[in-house]
């Protein structure tokens, strides 16, 4: 595979919406998401009212790529070989001694290295995006509450209540019915929760279109919510930018399911209509599958193998399935890279986690995408050595997946919007340095001394 990647070489450019094209004001959106779940648990399921009270310090628990073992209520941070680097029971971090006794140096029992593990299972859940993360804090506090209530309870069965909270707040009809807490609040004051796309990004999208690229929007959000977001961030004429809009895409199934399992559907007044046997023309559709989409892209480009790149923020829903099942190029939006902005002259061990200040963000402290003091770096961590030996640094499982399944990783679309379309990015590949695919810079913790990191 070529060492470099260029948008100019792509025929089709696809985008996820939430946390990719549409950036959220996390200090406002995270508490709203948390509250949408917590209010339901307290009012409908009888959980402790204390769940409704969150302090600024509580947010430090949130860290992307944690696994929650649904049976024992433990949260885990995994190394790239599947061993457990750090763990907590609820919000209470395990000491190195307790961690060694519980997990040792063995692979975690649910670890699957070959396909990057599914996030959805009856036995565990992976938190890999900013919609998920407030739920991690809530579930950890639920485990604390149940452990205390039942005198050191060992097994847990709260997940069904979390699923009920999701269904209540985020079901397909919730936006139209003004149901739950989340959608009514976003509708009431979108400017509080959403960042408009900067002019540089809008101009870049038009530039792609004018260069003859086919533009796709593929989101798991429903059509009515998608329209609200796009009108706010891009303007009322946003549909002129995209050749094909696919809502309620139900990713990762959009990529992994057979066409017969997940046909495209037309929409009428945001209601899904009949299933389509194939996709024959550009337009706005619901559900669907990557196979039928690719057939249409062949017709539209006149090429037997049009080259597609897809931008997304979720390894589970966007990056892994688009690469693994469809062999698309993938650009990971990784806000964790924003944490180094303005601090690159400091050595990582000298710098406290700083608030990330983007070009179009207010001065509020962020609750989610700064480093977690409890969980440490998203990218690397130390494995405690034996007596008289030094700790050794290893890649986290999340970091390994980035270099395995992403073509490149960037902090935001804005970071590349002013580059020429034929700019050559150095891609992640087995022949390149592990930090090669990060643009504009690798994370400080990786670039400061890559030789420290064991493979």
């Amino acid at each position: 595979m070529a060492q470099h990647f260029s948008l100019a070489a792509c025929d089709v450019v696809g985008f996820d919406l939430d946390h990719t094209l549409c950036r959220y004001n996390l200090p406002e959106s995270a508490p709203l998401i948390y509250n949408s779940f917590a209010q339901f648990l307290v009012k409908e399921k009888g959980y402790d009212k204390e769940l409704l009270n969150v302090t600024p310090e509580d947010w430090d628990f949130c860290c992307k790529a944690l696994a929650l073992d649904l049976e024992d209520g433990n949260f885990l941070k995994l190394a790239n070989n599947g061993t457990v680097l750090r763990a907590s029971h609820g919000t209470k971090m395990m000491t190195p001694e307790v961690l060694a006794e519980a997990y040792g140096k063995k692979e975690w029992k649910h670890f699957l290295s070959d396909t990057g593990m599914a996030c959805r299972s009856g036995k565990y859940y992976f938190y890999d995006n900013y919609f998920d993360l407030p739920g991690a804090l809530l579930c950890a506090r639920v485990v604390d509450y149940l452990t205390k209530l039942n005198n050191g309870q060992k097994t847990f069965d709260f997940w069904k209540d979390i699923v009920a909270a999701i269904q209540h707040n985020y079901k397909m009809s919730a936006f139209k019915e003004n149901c739950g807490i989340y959608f009514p609040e976003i509708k009431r004051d979108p400017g509080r929760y959403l960042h408009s796309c900067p002019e540089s990004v809008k101009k870049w999208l038009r530039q792609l279109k004018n260069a003859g690229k086919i533009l796709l929007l593929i989101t798991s959000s429903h059509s009515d919510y998608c329209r609200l977001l796009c009108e706010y961030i891009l303007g009322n004429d946003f549909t002129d930018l995209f050749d094909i809009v696919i809502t309620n895409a139900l990713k990762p199934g959009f990529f992994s399911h057979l066409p017969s399992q997940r046909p495209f559907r037309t929409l009428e007044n945001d209601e899904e209509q009949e299933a389509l046997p194939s996709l024959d023309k550009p337009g706005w559709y619901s559900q669907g599958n990557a196979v039928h989409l690719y057939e249409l892209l062949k017709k539209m480009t006149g090429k037997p193998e049009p080259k597609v790149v897809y931008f997304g923020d979720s390894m589970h829903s966007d990056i892994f399935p688009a690469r693994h099942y469809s062999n698309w190029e993938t650009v990971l939006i990784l806000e964790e890279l924003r944490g180094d902005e303005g601090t690159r002259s400091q050595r990582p061990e000298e710098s406290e986690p700083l608030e990330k200040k983007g070009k179009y963000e207010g001065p509020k402290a962020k609750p989610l995408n700064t480093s977690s003091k409890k969980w440490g770096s998203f990218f690397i961590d130390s494995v405690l050595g034996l007596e008289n030996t030094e700790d050794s640094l290893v890649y986290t499982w999340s970091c390994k997946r980035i270099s395995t399944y992403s073509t490149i990783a960037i902090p935001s679309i804005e970071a590349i919007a002013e580059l020429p379309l034929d700019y050559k990015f150095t891609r992640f590949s087995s022949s390149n340095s592990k930090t090669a695919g990060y643009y504009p810079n690798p994370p400080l913790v990786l670039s400061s001394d890559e030789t420290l990191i064991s493979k």
Side-chain angles (χ1 to χ4, degrees):
M1 186 178 280
Q3 188 181 359
H4 294 102
F5 162 75
S6 163
L7 285 167
C10 297
D11 305 297
V12 183
V13 185
F15 300 93
D16 174 43
L17 179 58
D18 297 284
H19 302 285
T20 299
L21 267 180
C22 177
R23 289 193 54 238
Y24 286 74
N25 179 16
L26 296 179
E28 297 289 354
S29 64
L32 175 63
I33 293 167
Y34 179 96
N35 206 31
S36 72
F37 290 115
Q39 292 276 6
F40 180 85
L41 292 187
V42 170
K43 291 178 179 171
E44 304 297 326
K45 300 294 180 181
Y47 282 75
D48 188 356
K49 281 205 208 54
E50 188 52 37
L51 287 177
L52 301 176
N53 302 321
V54 184
T55 68
E57 295 73 35
D58 288 333
W59 289 107
D60 183 61
F61 183 82
C62 291
C63 177
K64 265 207 252 177
L66 296 182
L68 166 59
D69 190 315
L70 296 175
E71 189 176 54
D72 60 24
N74 291 348
F75 286 80
L76 314 171
K77 179 184 182 182
L78 298 174
N80 64 341
N81 63 359
T83 56
V84 179
L85 292 166
R86 303 191 192 201
S88 72
H89 181 68
T91 63
K92 308 295 183 289
M93 299 303 292
M94 292 184 188
T95 63
E97 295 75 25
V98 173
L99 181 70
E101 188 180 332
Y103 296 104
K105 295 187 183 300
K106 301 191 300 288
E107 262 189 18
W108 181 46
K109 60 189 175 186
H110 298 303
F111 187 71
L112 298 166
S113 58
D114 56 339
T115 59
M117 265 191 292
C119 277
R120 314 303 187 252
S121 158
K123 296 186 173 156
Y124 59 86
Y125 190 90
F126 267 99
Y127 292 90
D128 90 327
N129 63 70
Y130 290 120
F131 266 151
D132 277 355
L133 275 194
L137 175 60
L138 179 66
C139 287
R141 297 185 75 208
V142 165
V143 170
D144 290 347
Y145 161 64
L146 293 174
T147 303
K148 188 175 168 186
L149 184 71
N150 298 318
N151 242 349
Q153 182 172 336
K154 292 288 188 290
T155 57
F156 297 86
D157 187 27
F158 62 85
W159 191 247
K160 62 183 186 301
D161 296 332
I162 300 292
V163 171
I166 294 170
Q167 176 60 15
H168 174 69
N169 281 284
Y170 301 97
K171 63 187 176 185
M172 197 167 183
S173 59
F175 186 95
K176 188 177 283 186
E177 294 168 3
N178 243 24
C179 176
I181 287 172
Y182 182 81
F183 289 128
E185 182 56 24
I186 296 278
K187 281 197 263 188
R188 188 187 69 78
D189 191 3
R192 181 176 174 182
Y193 301 101
L194 309 173
H195 292 300
S196 286
C197 269
E199 277 308 314
S200 62
V201 172
K202 295 178 188 175
K203 185 178 171 188
W204 178 76
L205 290 169
R206 289 192 290 270
Q207 189 185 356
L208 287 167
K209 189 92 170 152
N210 292 338
K213 311 300 179 192
I214 293 170
L215 266 57
L216 314 174
L217 184 63
I218 308 175
T219 173
S220 290
S221 288
H222 301 307
S223 54
D224 42 17
Y225 184 53
C226 170
R227 190 176 294 104
L228 178 145
L229 296 183
C230 288
E231 286 179 353
Y232 183 82
I233 67 167
L234 292 169
N236 293 341
D237 58 351
F238 76 92
T239 51
D240 295 345
L241 288 170
F242 300 102
D243 299 275
I244 300 169
V245 176
I246 300 163
T247 49
N248 194 28
L250 302 167
K251 296 175 291 181
F254 179 85
F255 296 101
S256 61
H257 282 43
L258 297 169
S260 58
Q261 296 171 293
R262 192 65 63 74
F264 280 96
R265 294 178 180 275
T266 53
L267 283 163
E268 213 168 279
N269 298 321
D270 295 315
E271 298 287 336
E272 290 185 345
Q273 304 300 306
E274 77 280 0
L276 301 173
S278 62
L279 200 59
D280 297 324
K281 60 184 180 183
W284 189 318
Y285 299 95
S286 192
Q287 296 196 44
N289 61 85
V291 173
H292 280 168
L293 172 61
Y294 197 64
E295 289 302 316
L296 175 59
L297 295 175
K298 287 179 189 177
K299 282 203 308 196
M300 290 174 71
T301 59
K303 294 185 177 181
E305 292 186 359
K307 188 171 183 178
V308 185
V309 59
Y310 188 62
F311 288 70
D313 70 298
S314 168
M315 181 57 68
H316 169 71
S317 300
D318 303 318
I319 303 303
F320 169 73
R323 169 60 59 83
H324 183 74
Y325 297 105
S326 297
N327 200 30
W328 289 0
E329 300 278 14
T330 52
V331 178
L332 175 65
I333 304 297
L334 189 64
E335 285 219 15
E336 282 70 16
L337 293 174
R338 296 173 68 85
D340 292 345
E341 287 174 7
T343 67
R344 298 199 66 81
S345 61
Q346 294 174 287
R347 288 184 62 77
E349 61 267 27
E350 293 168 359
S351 61
E352 285 298 307
L354 297 175
E355 169 190 354
K356 299 184 183 171
K357 293 187 172 74
K359 286 185 193 171
Y360 50 106
E361 253 172 89
K364 283 184 161 185
K366 282 178 178 285
L368 294 183
N369 66 354
T370 48
S371 297
S372 161
K373 289 172 187 165
K374 283 187 188 237
W375 294 104
S377 167
F378 175 81
F379 301 97
I380 58 171
D381 212 336
S382 56
V383 175
L384 297 175
L386 302 169
E387 216 172 320
N388 301 324
T389 65
E390 291 183 13
D391 295 354
S392 61
L393 288 174
V394 297
Y395 289 106
T396 60
W397 178 65
S398 330
C399 187
K400 178 75 186 319
R401 294 173 89 207
I402 291 169
S403 60
T404 305
Y405 299 112
S406 313
T407 303
I408 59 170
I410 59 176
S412 64
I413 289 175
E414 187 187 6
I416 66 167
E418 292 179 17
L419 297 173
L421 294 186
D422 61 358
Y423 183 88
K424 289 183 167 51
F425 297 92
T426 304
R427 62 167 70 238
F428 288 112
S429 76
S430 53
S431 58
N432 284 335
S433 146
K434 287 280 197 298
T435 60
Y438 294 105
Y439 180 89
N441 297 295
L444 265 176
V445 289
L446 296 186
S447 58
S448 57
D449 194 344
E450 198 179 346
T451 58
L452 285 175
I453 304 164
S454 59
K455 292 187 176 176

